[in-house]
Amino acid sequence: MNKDQVVKELRYKAIRSGGAGGQHVNKVSTKIELSFDLAGSNGLSETEKDRLYEKLENRLNKEGSLLLQCDETRSQYRNKELVTQRFLNLLENLLKVQKKRKKTKPSKTAKEKRLRAKQKTAEKKAGRKKPDLD
């Protein structure tokens, strides 16, 4: 992934935040909406795009773009920084390749320990039974 190339491909749109806030919220567009066209990206390889399509299928819109929003602060500039950082973290985490899990078997000692514990529990429960008076 070429981070600089990907960041250049981001599109930002400033919109008005909703919710409480009075006059300031009603007249200032501080909420930032980031959109990233996954299909048209030159900063990602085809394998990276395929991986992202698979992992982001529920978050992509009909055009294949990823939309993120941020309205945490009253500063448009700060919201832009936050949403960009969130986007880069998201891509970084999704493009990490997980290590394959190596199957392991329990050791001989672990098996014996488990069987001893099982036997001890069985004896404890057997001791709770009423004796047979035959």
Side-chain angles (χ1 to χ4, degrees):
M1 172 178 78
N2 185 352
K3 249 186 201 178
D4 296 330
Q5 179 68 31
V6 170
V7 170
K8 286 179 187 175
E9 295 172 353
L10 298 177
R11 288 190 310 273
Y12 299 97
K13 187 169 139 185
I15 49 181
R16 278 188 264 186
S17 296
Q23 288 180 339
H24 184 74
V25 167
N26 296 334
K27 64 185 180 182
V28 181
S29 299
T30 55
K31 184 177 188 177
I32 296 292
E33 186 176 81
L34 174 144
S35 64
F36 177 67
D37 181 21
L38 194 56
S41 175
N42 295 324
L44 297 170
S45 68
E46 289 303 316
T47 54
E48 290 173 331
K49 286 181 189 179
D50 292 340
R51 187 176 186 85
L52 289 173
Y53 269 119
E54 187 180 308
K55 298 216 175 185
L56 290 172
E57 67 181 322
N58 296 330
R59 295 183 69 175
L60 297 175
N61 62 12
K62 291 175 187 170
E63 293 83 42
S65 294
L66 174 67
L67 296 176
L68 295 175
Q69 296 179 341
C70 181
D71 62 350
E72 291 175 21
T73 68
R74 289 175 57 157
S75 164
Q76 188 183 95
Y77 177 75
R78 183 73 181 120
N79 283 337
K80 190 174 179 180
E81 284 181 345
L82 288 171
V83 77
T84 304
Q85 192 58 48
R86 198 178 300 154
F87 170 75
L88 291 173
N89 289 341
L90 178 70
L91 280 191
E92 204 172 290
N93 290 336
L94 293 178
L95 290 176
K96 268 186 199 164
V97 179
Q98 295 289 323
K99 287 183 184 177
K100 278 272 192 186
R101 182 184 174 276
K102 293 180 183 176
K103 292 182 181 178
T104 58
K105 293 181 180 177
S107 65
K108 190 174 182 180
T109 314
K111 285 181 184 176
E112 289 171 359
K113 185 177 176 183
R114 180 181 61 85
L115 291 173
R116 279 195 306 269
K118 201 171 176 181
Q119 187 61 43
K120 190 174 177 183
T121 308
E123 288 171 5
K124 187 192 306 180
K125 290 188 175 192
R128 295 179 190 155
K129 280 186 178 178
K130 291 182 181 175
D132 283 338
L133 302 174
D134 289 339

